[in-house]
Amino acid sequence: MLSLDFSAILQGRYLDWLIAGAAKTLMLFAASWLIGFLLSLLIAAARSSGLRALQAASAAFVGYHRNVPGLVQLFIWYFGVPQLLPEAWQQWINATGSEFIFATLALSLNAAAYMSEDLRSGIRSLPPSQLEAARALGLSYASAMRKVILPQALKVAVPPLINQSLGLFKSTSLAMAIGVAEMTYASHQVENESFRTFEAFAIASLFYWTFSFLIMGLGHVWTRRLSARGAR
Amino acid sequence: MADILQILHDYGLLLLVGQYPQGPLGGLALTLCLAVAGLCLSFPLAVLVGMARTSSNKAIYLPVSTLVHAIRGLPVLMIIFWAYFVVPIVTGTSVSAVTTVVCALVVYELAFMGEVVRAGIQAIPKGQIEAARSLGLNGFGVMRRIVLPQALYQMLPSILNQFINLIKNTSLGYIISVNELTYSAYQINAQLLTKPFQVYAILAVTYFLICWSLGLCMSRLEKRIHARRNQRGLAASPAL
């Protein structure tokens, strides 16, 4: 029978690793979410613009990120891209511990692709006359997007965006593959050293559940508020 | 570009089938096998989960819903680690990494495909169920003869979508050294050392082509099913 002893790993360096891992995961999530969200606004606007070249470029961006596994995207950034950079940059990257930067980059681009799709369906749910009216009032395409279309599209897109945020939160665990010491990495490390497999994974799982349920709960609250408003 | 062709020439076979037939199957072939096995094993379970999630019996609905949410709240990697630890305890013998990954993917997919089935079941109009009940079918008969056949047909595109997700998730087998496509590319990169970009570009393009073409099939299928349902809807209301 298993004998559980959580206190064995909730002390000393094991505890330090787990706390550092939790902090890394949250930092990775926050940074990638912010960059990803801002980028997704640009991509969604580009995709809904009439310009062929912009549309094609953003469609290619979204297509790449949706059809290639996240792990492979990470590898491309971490192992592949530095090779294309000038020698001096490579040295600087190696000197500054680039794992976190590349993980953030890869995760935020991935999130941007998925979020822009949600925004796009939000934009498509609005009647096209909205854009026409805004343009007729003298707004440029960019400011019509910024002031009229995107604020409304955002409201519609909140539930799927929350879902995407959950996906992003979970995919931060991929960063362990390139050596970012986030929560999954930390739990694996603790497991390796202490042989307390169940305890190490249970603590990491509790951590992921806490934040995943927070994000899911946010989604529930939003949907309920929206439907309550609709019923009035 | 010349580098890429050279790599494909030297290692193309390794990427396709691994060391097979001299050694275990690997590469793209294993990736597809893992995904197909994951789909085939998780589908019947997902139908049960979907039925449980639409059940009005709290004793069935609550535990299954809790399980689904618990799975959805964890990263796939965490589930793979759990499987690595739990599956040998359950089966009593040590299992291969391939089995571990399949188990983990099935558990993960269960939660997502279960939701697909649930949505499919809920999309069937209530009137049909009431009509079937009033014709004397019991709850199980209604499910088996009326609801599921229609729901599964409508769900086909979503199932294909889950298959694409499965293919992408098999890449995580790399973490526990399953010899699939990503791991093969990693091995090739370790041998060449100087051409990581080319190797991983080949890897990305391979995944892209497979998932993208499956995605195309999916949207075609979606349109076809949509058109067919609309047609039937029109035929069913001749008075209009």
Side-chain angles (χ1 to χ4, degrees):
Chain A
M1 199 48 220
L2 281 167
S3 60
L4 298 182
D5 182 9
F6 280 94
S7 62
I9 63 164
L10 285 178
Q11 59 178 351
R13 61 194 176 122
Y14 297 146
L15 183 63
D16 293 344
W17 288 346
L18 289 172
I19 291 175
K24 252 287 148 66
T25 292
L26 293 177
M27 268 161 61
L28 200 54
F29 172 64
S32 322
W33 191 90
L34 197 66
I35 301 173
F37 178 67
L38 293 177
L39 262 178
S40 74
L41 293 173
L42 286 181
I43 297 164
R47 199 129 193 226
S48 310
S49 74
L51 292 172
R52 273 279 169 85
L54 268 183
Q55 275 177 335
S58 45
F61 178 86
V62 171
Y64 166 76
H65 287 94
R66 280 172 58 136
N67 290 305
V68 173
L71 189 67
V72 177
Q73 293 169 26
L74 263 175
F75 284 174
I76 295 251
W77 280 107
Y78 184 67
F79 295 120
V81 168
Q83 179 205 338
L84 304 176
L85 299 173
E87 193 78 26
W89 292 31
Q90 284 187 36
Q91 273 166 8
W92 180 81
I93 286 172
N94 287 335
T96 48
S98 52
E99 300 91 3
F100 188 81
I101 298 171
F102 280 118
T104 310
L105 199 62
L107 288 173
S108 54
L109 291 180
N110 184 282
Y114 280 95
M115 287 177 171
S116 76
E117 283 294 277
D118 296 332
L119 284 176
R120 190 167 77 116
S121 33
I123 291 174
R124 281 162 112 188
S125 74
L126 300 175
S129 51
Q130 292 251 355
L131 183 63
E132 286 158 19
R135 295 301 302 272
L137 284 172
L139 292 175
S140 68
Y141 177 77
S143 49
M145 264 292 158
R146 195 166 59 84
K147 294 184 176 161
V148 181
I149 304 296
L150 281 179
Q152 298 183 77
L154 256 177
K155 242 180 234 165
V156 183
V158 165
L161 281 177
I162 290 179
N163 223 355
Q164 270 346 315
S165 307
L166 177 64
L168 173 64
F169 174 67
K170 291 194 292 176
S171 55
T172 53
S173 70
L174 296 179
M176 78 163 284
I178 59 168
V180 177
E182 46 67 70
M183 194 56 174
T184 310
Y185 184 97
S187 69
H188 194 56
Q189 200 182 9
V190 170
E191 189 255 328
N192 255 334
E193 301 247 333
S194 66
F195 299 107
R196 298 246 163 230
T197 311
F198 182 88
E199 292 90 331
F201 290 164
I203 285 173
S205 301
L206 270 181
F207 167 79
Y208 282 114
W209 277 325
T210 310
F211 285 92
S212 294
F213 290 155
L214 266 177
I215 297 172
M216 287 183 207
L218 214 65
H220 270 291
V221 170
W222 183 275
T223 340
R224 199 173 293 167
R225 255 185 54 193
L226 264 194
S227 52
R229 217 182 275 162
R232 225 183 289 155
Chain B
M1 198 63 209
D3 284 339
I4 288 182
L5 289 177
Q6 187 62 42
I7 295 170
L8 279 177
H9 177 260
D10 293 345
Y11 296 101
L13 201 62
L14 186 71
L15 281 174
L16 272 181
V17 293
Q19 262 105 44
Y20 192 80
Q22 276 81 39
L25 188 70
L28 179 58
L30 184 63
T31 288
L32 293 177
C33 284
L34 288 175
V36 170
L39 187 74
C40 294
L41 292 172
S42 57
F43 180 69
L45 295 170
V47 172
L48 292 180
V49 169
M51 281 163 65
R53 289 274 283 157
T54 50
S55 165
S56 51
N57 186 342
K58 279 246 160 87
I60 297 173
Y61 172 82
L62 280 178
V64 174
S65 301
T66 313
L67 182 76
V68 166
H69 281 102
I71 296 170
R72 284 180 50 132
L74 285 182
V76 196
L77 261 183
M78 216 56 230
I79 294 176
I80 290 180
F81 284 161
W82 272 118
Y84 211 80
F85 170 59
V86 171
V87 174
I89 295 179
V90 173
T91 58
T93 53
S94 63
V95 293
S96 68
V98 170
T99 317
T100 307
V101 166
V102 171
C103 291
L105 289 180
V106 166
V107 168
Y108 190 71
E109 207 46 52
L110 203 63
F112 289 85
M113 199 126 68
E115 289 306 277
V116 169
V117 176
R118 178 172 86 130
I121 290 175
Q122 282 173 343
I124 303 297
K126 264 230 159 92
Q128 288 201 18
I129 298 168
E130 284 157 12
R133 287 308 290 265
S134 65
L135 284 172
L137 283 175
N138 61 12
F140 185 71
V142 173
M143 247 321 154
R144 196 170 65 86
R145 288 163 187 252
I146 310 289
V147 177
L148 281 183
Q150 298 184 71
L152 292 181
Y153 177 67
Q154 280 194 65
M155 271 157 27
L156 280 176
S158 310
I159 292 172
L160 200 54
N161 192 32
Q162 289 307 314
F163 184 62
I164 298 173
N165 278 340
L166 265 168
I167 292 179
K168 290 195 286 176
N169 280 338
T170 54
S171 67
L172 296 173
Y174 157 86
I175 302 277
I176 55 170
S177 309
V178 173
N179 212 354
E180 44 69 60
L181 186 57
T182 304
Y183 193 77
S184 305
Y186 167 79
Q187 280 178 317
I188 294 168
N189 182 39
Q191 279 180 32
L192 289 171
L193 281 175
T194 51
K195 297 188 176 64
F197 185 79
Q198 287 86 335
V199 172
Y200 287 117
I202 292 173
L203 181 65
V205 168
T206 312
Y207 276 114
F208 179 85
L209 287 178
I210 295 168
C211 297
W212 179 75
S213 46
L214 282 172
L216 271 189
C217 294
M218 184 182 83
S219 44
R220 282 231 180 124
L221 197 65
E222 220 163 25
K223 266 185 206 143
R224 211 157 146 194
I225 289 174
H226 195 71
R228 215 161 138 185
R229 289 207 71 82
N230 278 353
Q231 217 174 16
R232 214 186 279 162
L234 285 179
S237 49
L240 295 172

